[in-house]
Amino acid sequence: MTVLTGFAYLGALLLSLGGLALIDRRFRLAFWSHPRRTALCLAAGVAGFLLWDVAGLLLGIFSRGESPHMTGLLLAPDLPVEEAVFLTLLCYVALLGWRWLDRQSALRERFRGEEAAP
């Protein structure tokens, strides 16, 4: 296993996070409109999912799989660094999706209101 292969999954996750950040910047959905609220929301989501993972690991429901594409760095026993990055990606994409849908809904309501005005 080469060092580069060991960082393939983490690199893909970070690249994906970068792409989400570009989308966020372009449409000012989260960090570029409300940075503090976004950081708190993502931190709460990631912390909640990490607690869920730890509980699953302690109960024997989850286990760490082996892959040559992972770094091997662990946050805790059987909890790879990639898991925290993946959970950040998951929460960020959900937040961006929610913000976009919320914005589209508000635009639709505004358009309907303008159509109904005499």
Side-chain angles (χ1 to χ4, degrees):
M1 176 175 89
T2 66
V3 174
L4 222 49
T5 303
F7 284 86
Y9 181 50
L10 182 60
L13 290 171
L14 293 172
L15 183 68
S16 298
L17 276 169
L20 289 176
L22 289 173
I23 291 169
D24 185 6
R25 181 173 180 232
R26 165 64 178 91
F27 296 103
R28 300 195 180 282
L29 295 169
F31 273 115
W32 274 266
S33 64
H34 303 289
R36 189 173 183 184
R37 279 195 289 183
T38 300
L40 289 171
C41 182
L42 288 180
V46 171
F49 279 122
L50 282 174
L51 288 173
W52 178 288
D53 279 353
V54 168
L57 288 167
L58 292 174
L59 293 171
I61 298 168
F62 302 151
S63 64
R64 180 175 63 123
E66 294 298 324
S67 170
H69 304 292
M70 294 176 63
T71 63
L73 301 172
L74 301 176
L75 295 173
D78 291 327
L79 187 62
V81 168
E82 291 88 354
E83 182 69 8
V85 179
F86 169 75
L87 293 174
T88 303
L89 177 76
L90 177 70
C91 291
Y92 196 22
V93 76
L95 178 62
L96 292 180
W98 175 262
R99 292 282 296 142
W100 183 81
L101 288 171
D102 188 49
R103 186 175 288 174
Q104 294 305 309
S105 176
L107 285 172
R108 251 184 266 120
E109 288 301 317
R110 188 170 12 152
F111 180 72
R112 285 186 189 137
E114 289 174 1
E115 257 184 4

